[in-house]
Amino acid sequence: MGDEEKRNRAITARRQHLKSVMLQIAATELEKEESRRESEKENYLSEHCPPLHIPGSMSEVQELCKQLHAKIDVAEEEKYDMEVKVQKSSKELEDMNQKLFDLRGKFKRPPLRRVRMSADAMLKALLGSKHKVCMDLRANLKQVKKEDTEKERDLRDVGDWRKNIEEKSGMEGRKKMFESES
């Protein structure tokens, strides 16, 4: 047992060491990824957004506004074109999915609502005018007569409960109960 225990401890120590090394490598990779993203962001911004030089005269400011409006118009046009492409591709995807369902033979089921129908009405709907057999399910049931039990007879014989209580109230009523039980 002692040798086996040492071996297990060595294995767990090695696992923990490997896990810590892997975590260190992952942390350095994350840092590299973050710095790469930051540099890409800075490059993109410097490329597409040059630094703004505010002119001193009114005519230069108006010219700058016209240039900015022209850039905004171009950006809006690109945005609109991209939205149209996205809508068109999503419509194509829906059409392709529908064709795929059609080819497989599977159709989307519409939400069904519960309809109360008798068996005769259901057969008539399925078979149409061919259906002539009346399917009365209750006609095939057996008639069962209830056996009168003593309790049921007593309940029927009791009648008005107030009279029964008045008869059993007081000592005389209790005396009658004991006499009738024995």
Side-chain angles (χ1 to χ4, degrees):
M1 278 297 203
D3 191 34
E4 183 75 23
E5 205 171 298
K6 286 181 184 177
R7 197 167 135 245
N8 285 343
R9 284 185 185 168
I11 290 172
T12 56
R14 177 140 174 85
R15 280 184 189 157
Q16 287 182 348
H17 175 69
L18 288 174
K19 194 185 284 186
S20 66
V21 169
M22 286 174 56
L23 287 173
Q24 288 174 351
I25 292 171
T28 57
E29 290 294 322
L30 282 174
E31 289 173 6
K32 288 178 185 177
E33 180 73 22
E34 190 65 34
S35 63
R36 187 183 58 79
R37 282 186 183 164
E38 283 294 323
S39 64
E40 283 180 3
K41 183 178 177 181
E42 288 174 9
N43 290 339
Y44 181 83
L45 287 176
S46 65
E47 199 176 294
H48 291 287
C49 300
L52 184 63
H53 300 290
I54 299 176
S57 69
M58 188 61 130
S59 62
E60 291 175 351
V61 171
Q62 287 176 343
E63 186 61 35
L64 179 65
C65 287
K66 288 178 184 176
Q67 289 174 359
L68 290 176
H69 277 288
K71 287 182 181 180
I72 289 172
D73 289 341
V74 170
E76 287 292 323
E77 287 175 7
E78 289 177 5
K79 177 183 151 195
Y80 178 76
D81 291 342
M82 296 247 185
E83 286 176 351
V84 169
K85 284 181 183 177
V86 167
Q87 287 176 352
K88 189 175 182 181
S89 61
S90 64
K91 180 68 176 161
E92 286 177 7
L93 276 173
E94 288 177 13
D95 292 342
M96 293 285 192
N97 281 335
Q98 188 62 40
K99 285 181 183 178
L100 186 68
F101 279 123
D102 291 345
L103 289 174
R104 286 185 182 167
K106 294 181 181 176
F107 300 99
K108 287 185 180 178
R109 291 185 180 179
L112 302 176
R113 60 179 192 263
R114 184 174 297 269
V115 177
R116 291 195 173 255
M117 224 184 226
S118 67
D120 291 330
M122 207 175 295
L123 285 173
K124 192 170 185 179
L126 289 172
L127 301 174
S129 61
K130 297 176 188 175
H131 173 64
K132 292 181 182 174
V133 178
C134 183
M135 198 171 150
D136 188 12
L137 298 174
R138 292 184 182 175
N140 297 334
L141 296 176
K142 292 181 182 176
Q143 293 292 328
V144 178
K145 290 185 178 180
K146 281 189 177 179
E147 294 179 16
D148 287 341
T149 59
E150 287 183 33
K151 283 186 179 181
E152 289 176 354
R153 272 188 243 130
D154 288 342
L155 287 175
R156 270 185 267 143
D157 294 342
V158 166
D160 191 12
W161 59 274
R162 281 170 245 137
K163 291 179 184 174
N164 196 13
I165 294 237
E166 288 172 5
E167 289 175 7
K168 292 183 179 180
S169 64
M171 289 303 283
E172 295 166 8
R174 292 203 174 131
K175 189 176 179 184
K176 287 181 189 174
M177 279 177 43
F178 283 118
E179 288 174 0
S180 65
E181 285 179 7
S182 56

